[in-house]
Each structure stands twice: as C-alpha cells, then as structure tokens.
Amino acid sequence: ENYGPASPFGAVALASGIAAVGYAWLIPETLGNADLPSSASMSRGSSAGSWTKLLRQPSQRAIAAAALANGIGRVAKVVAVPLFATDVLGASPDELGTLFSLWSLGGLVAVGSSGLVVDRLKNVSSDPADAARIVICLSQLGSAAGFFLAVQTHSLQSFAFATGLWSIGFGAAAPALETFTQSRAPPSATAEALALPKSIGDLVFIIGPASLGFANTLVPGGGMLVSAFVSVAASVAFWINSGGGTLGGSSTSGVSSSSSSSDPSE
C-alpha cells in the first residue's frame, strides 16, 4: 500500500536470495556433508502404478480425500478469499495483509493444539489412528463452516472471524492427517504412502486456481463455497473409508503428530 504493487515481489526476491546464500554455505545437505538417501530409495515414491495399487485400500482413499480438501482450502486462501475481501468487502492491501497474518497465527496455534490433542487421545485407544480420525473430520467440518459463514458476512471484521475459524480448522487437520498417514502406511510401500498427500496437494494447486477463479466469476465467494462443499464431502468420505488397517497388516504405533512439517502460513 505504501510502496506500490511491485514491492511484495521485491521482498520475496530478497528473501529468496538470502535463502539461496544459506543453502549454498550453511546447510549440511547442500554442502555434501550429510548422508542422503540413495537414488533407489528416492525413486520409490514416483511410481504411478504403486499409487494406483495403494488407492485400492480404503484407508489410502480416505487420506486422498482429506488431502484433496486441504489442497482446495489452500488454493481458496490465495485465490477466492482475497477476491471476496477486496471485491465485495473493499479490503485495502494493508487490511488484506493483516488477514493473512491472522490466518497464519490461527494456523500456528491450531497445529500445536491438534498435535497435543491427538497425542492425548492416542492413550485411550488401541489404535493410534482413531484420535487422528476424529481430529481430521472435526477440523474439516470446522474449516467448511468458516467458509460458509465468510460468504454471508457484510463487514471485514466478521469476515476476519469467519476465515479465522477456517484457518484453525485447516491448521488442525494437517498434523492429524500426517499422523494418520504414518500409522496407515503399509510396510511394503511406505515412501509412496507418505508422498501421496503431498502429490495430491500439488495436483490440486495446478487445476484449483482456475477452477475456483471461475467459480468466483459465477457467484461472489463461489470459490470458498466450492472449498467448503469439498471439505464436507471429504470429511464424510474420510470417516467412511478410514476405519481399515494397512496393506501389510497392523498399523504403526507411537507416531507423534507434534512433528508435523505443516507450514501454518499456507
């Protein structure tokens, strides 16, 4: 708002340059001082055929549904939400930036809280994935409710509250989904199973922006409504399909959701 539309790009370019310097001189992996996975082990996660076989299992279809909802929500955050805030509510660049900061804060709090809840609930269940199932479904329903409410708002303050609810649900789902994915990863295809949510998220980010942008041209806030409907459908599909075990037998226990690599700013 103060330095022109090009200033954020300059800030990102500067941050990228600083990161590049760090990678070049400070990070052990890029200095060749760390033990890296062999090419054979790294290639395990790139087999489309393995994923096809993996998705025959109900628990892996449940993971795919949850990852799809998370991906659509992330796309809505960067496409549909800013469009509604500026076009309908008249948010300024400064106000929009403040909203993004609030969403990041809500996600940060939710990630830690979700990990603690999953860890506590795991102690009262024979299956460590049961706690993650509950958290994932409730989180996705909460994020859907946030977007449904956001479309009905007429002020920036109420919009911030509604989208804040979405950010909490979105953030809480991430570590729980990681815990569930790890607990249901089959021993014979662990790499493929762990890579599945990330790959689905990347695919959604290719086709999602155009789809949600088109939905916004049809109805103000249409992109958020699409994301909300997908979250509700994914929550139902996840609950129905997530009760089974792994391909190879029993699930893996002792997985801590607090180690989630989710970025709450996304």
Side-chain angles (χ1 to χ4, degrees):
E1 187 171 0
N2 294 323
Y3 301 102
S7 57
F9 295 96
V12 171
L14 177 62
S16 299
I18 294 173
V21 171
Y23 282 129
W25 283 286
L26 300 177
I27 307 301
E29 287 79 0
T30 55
L31 293 175
N33 298 330
D35 295 329
L36 299 178
S38 65
S39 58
S41 64
M42 292 178 67
S43 65
R44 290 180 61 197
S46 60
S47 172
S50 297
W51 280 345
T52 301
K53 180 180 179 181
L54 201 64
L55 288 173
R56 295 173 186 168
Q57 306 302 312
S59 62
Q60 300 303 317
R61 292 197 297 271
I63 292 168
L68 174 65
N70 285 356
I72 290 290
R74 183 177 291 110
V75 173
K77 172 187 173 181
V78 298
V79 176
V81 176
L83 287 175
F84 188 89
T86 55
D87 294 347
V88 178
L89 301 178
S92 67
D94 179 53
E95 290 170 329
L96 190 59
T98 301
L99 284 175
F100 271 88
S101 296
L102 291 175
W103 299 332
S104 298
L105 178 61
L108 180 64
V109 173
V111 165
S113 301
S114 174
L116 290 174
V117 169
V118 171
D119 284 339
R120 295 294 184 271
L121 291 178
K122 283 194 303 184
N123 297 328
V124 298
S125 173
S126 59
D127 186 351
D130 284 343
R133 291 178 68 212
I134 296 172
V135 172
I136 290 169
C137 290
L138 292 179
S139 298
Q140 291 188 336
L141 291 175
S143 63
F147 273 164
F148 277 127
L149 291 174
V151 177
Q152 314 302 321
T153 58
H154 301 286
S155 69
L156 199 59
Q157 290 76 15
S158 56
F159 182 76
F161 174 81
T163 52
L165 176 60
W166 165 83
S167 71
I168 292 173
F170 179 81
L177 179 59
E178 182 174 335
T179 295
F180 186 86
T181 301
Q182 290 174 339
S183 69
R184 289 292 187 259
S188 61
T190 302
E192 291 91 337
L194 297 180
L196 182 62
K198 174 68 165 58
S199 300
I200 291 176
D202 291 342
L203 178 62
V204 170
F205 223 94
I206 294 174
I207 62 177
S211 301
L212 297 192
F214 177 72
N216 254 54
T217 63
L218 299 178
V219 179
M224 287 188 288
L225 290 176
V226 170
S227 176
F229 281 118
V230 170
S231 293
V232 172
S235 180
V236 174
F238 180 86
W239 186 260
I240 292 174
N241 288 279
S242 61
T246 67
L247 276 168
S250 62
S251 60
T252 303
S253 62
V255 179
S256 173
S257 63
S258 61
S259 62
S260 171
S261 60
S262 169
D263 181 358
S265 67
E266 293 187 346

